[in-house]
Amino acid sequence: MDVSLFDFDLPEARIALRPASPRDSARLMVVRPDGRIEHAHVRDLPAFLAPGDALVVNDTKVIPARLHGQRLRETGPAKVEILLHRRLSPDRWAVLARPARKLAVGDALIFGDLRAAVTARGEAGEAEIAFALSGAALDAAIAARGEMPLPPYIAGKRPADARDAADYQTLYARAEGSVAAPTAGLHFTPDLLAALAARGVTHEAVTLHVGLGTFLPVTAEDTSLHRMHTERALLDGGTAARLVAARAAGGRIAAVGTTALRTLESAAAGGGLAAFDGDTDIFITPGYDFRAVDLLLTNFHLPRSTLFMLVSAFMGLDVMRAAYAEAIREGYRFYSYGDACLLLRR
């Protein structure tokens, strides 16, 4: 499909720089299969789910993946910023570097007293680096020197601060490994989870470590030419069995966020939902046959992004273009710290 079909005008004022407080006070747009729209708040979510439905979250935890330092070379030092996006071994990471032109294989890097060297270069600012530390010692050093990797549309407006350490992490974050939060999950509070449980909605978790693809725009003019980066995903056998049983009993599977949805759809690629532990580069565009997910809770996404393509596949492009136009008219807040929409697929 032509990527321009997924473009729309978004006023800069609609981009949220801080989350709602409390988290579940964020607005919620509910989109029906026929395109009808209701306006509510995230705290109202239990009213739109039914006993026996299964809510599936992504329990990945964001690491402080942005490091600021220097490149050391005979010609002199130069400032460099890296974003860790995929661990390759106990001491090696794939990174996105800025400015990329300043890095070459063999360059020494220093981030405070943490040292590294460039071992490979890729396209569009990608590189591989090996640290002088390894394993838990490296993890501790990164935690001490790194900062929360806010998306570019926030980081370009303000630096990350102490509030983001909590704000940019879900309530149920457990498995460290993401360079971006599964942002639909940022809306949940203990009270909301308790209300969902009282409603008879079960709560399950999958893991997808969000990687570089979150930060890279779609530059191709046709969707068939876009390359998705692989991300690590996990659905254990017990969770898969409970979700299959919930559906067999008449319940619906509600994915919290596009990362939970992509994990479930990757696990159902063979036709039925089953355990999954591996890399996924699933790219969902209109025409995709959904196998595992019935409802999707998600935030409002960037124009021309793979995520807007995904929600357009879920509900239909015309429905989502109309819903986003109304969201802009009604003052909804967009992106990671913004409001949410609940998509009820036919």
Side-chain angles (χ1 to χ4, degrees):
M1 297 184 70
D2 188 334
V3 172
S4 66
L5 293 171
F6 303 94
D7 203 0
F8 56 89
D9 292 324
L10 179 70
E12 191 171 327
R14 296 275 65 80
I15 300 174
L17 299 182
R18 297 285 185 185
S21 181
R23 295 185 180 204
D24 59 4
S25 67
R27 297 176 70 187
L28 178 68
M29 173 182 281
V30 181
V31 185
R32 300 286 180 180
D34 60 1
R36 287 183 298 118
I37 289 171
E38 299 176 44
H39 301 287
H41 292 86
V42 173
R43 60 176 173 263
D44 302 319
L45 181 61
F48 298 99
L49 299 178
D53 287 345
L55 193 75
V56 183
V57 304
N58 180 5
D59 66 2
T60 190
K61 190 172 185 177
V62 184
I63 62 173
R66 182 168 281 120
L67 294 169
H68 298 272
Q70 290 186 316
R71 179 218 68 196
L72 304 179
R73 200 187 287 173
E74 290 181 358
T75 54
K79 290 183 179 179
V80 68
E81 173 188 310
I82 66 166
L83 177 70
L84 307 171
H85 77 83
R86 185 175 177 85
R87 193 168 207 147
L88 303 173
S89 71
D91 66 337
R92 293 173 58 246
W93 278 83
V95 305
L96 184 66
R98 191 174 67 175
R101 67 181 186 278
K102 291 188 177 180
L103 289 189
V105 174
D107 282 349
L109 306 175
I110 184 169
F111 308 97
D113 58 357
L114 177 60
R115 293 182 173 272
V118 180
T119 58
R121 282 293 313 274
E123 300 177 355
E126 296 179 62
E128 295 179 10
I129 65 174
F131 287 95
L133 298 177
S134 179
L138 176 57
D139 295 344
I142 291 170
R145 293 158 185 79
E147 68 176 35
M148 197 59 80
L150 294 180
Y153 43 80
I154 297 177
K157 300 290 185 181
R158 63 169 182 82
D161 57 28
R163 286 177 58 184
D164 294 303
D167 287 345
Y168 200 59
Q169 205 77 267
T170 65
L171 176 68
Y172 41 74
R174 178 193 61 82
E176 290 191 344
S178 277
V179 300
T183 53
L186 298 180
H187 298 293
F188 284 82
T189 64
D191 286 346
L192 179 55
L193 290 177
L196 288 163
R199 175 71 170 157
V201 176
T202 61
H203 177 196
E204 302 288 355
V206 298
T207 304
L208 183 141
H209 293 313
V210 188
L212 183 62
T214 296
F215 292 89
L216 294 182
V218 177
T219 56
E221 293 303 317
D222 190 281
T223 57
S224 65
L225 301 177
H226 179 68
R227 178 174 64 94
M228 290 287 285
H229 284 72
T230 59
E231 295 167 308
R232 190 72 174 176
L234 171 67
L235 168 65
D236 67 57
T239 301
R242 289 191 296 274
L243 292 174
V244 169
R247 250 189 169 181
R252 298 170 297 176
I253 296 180
V256 176
T258 57
T259 58
L261 181 147
R262 291 177 64 241
T263 302
L264 292 168
E265 292 297 328
S266 297
L273 193 60
F276 182 88
D277 184 358
D279 291 336
T280 181
D281 60 358
I282 189 171
F283 181 24
I284 296 175
T285 58
Y288 177 85
D289 181 20
F290 288 89
R291 298 177 175 90
V293 177
D294 305 299
L295 299 89
L296 173 63
L297 177 72
T298 185
N299 285 18
F300 292 93
H301 304 295
L302 284 162
R304 300 174 69 100
S305 66
T306 61
L307 302 182
F308 184 61
M309 294 172 192
L310 185 154
V311 297
S312 297
F314 197 77
M315 296 297 292
L317 178 57
D318 291 343
V319 168
M320 291 314 300
R321 287 185 66 88
Y324 271 48
E326 178 155 342
I328 292 169
R329 286 194 303 270
E330 294 294 324
Y332 277 75
R333 302 162 72 244
F334 274 61
Y335 305 161
S336 295
Y337 279 154
D339 295 317
C341 55
L342 178 65
L343 307 180
L344 309 176
R345 191 166 63 90
R346 189 181 303 279

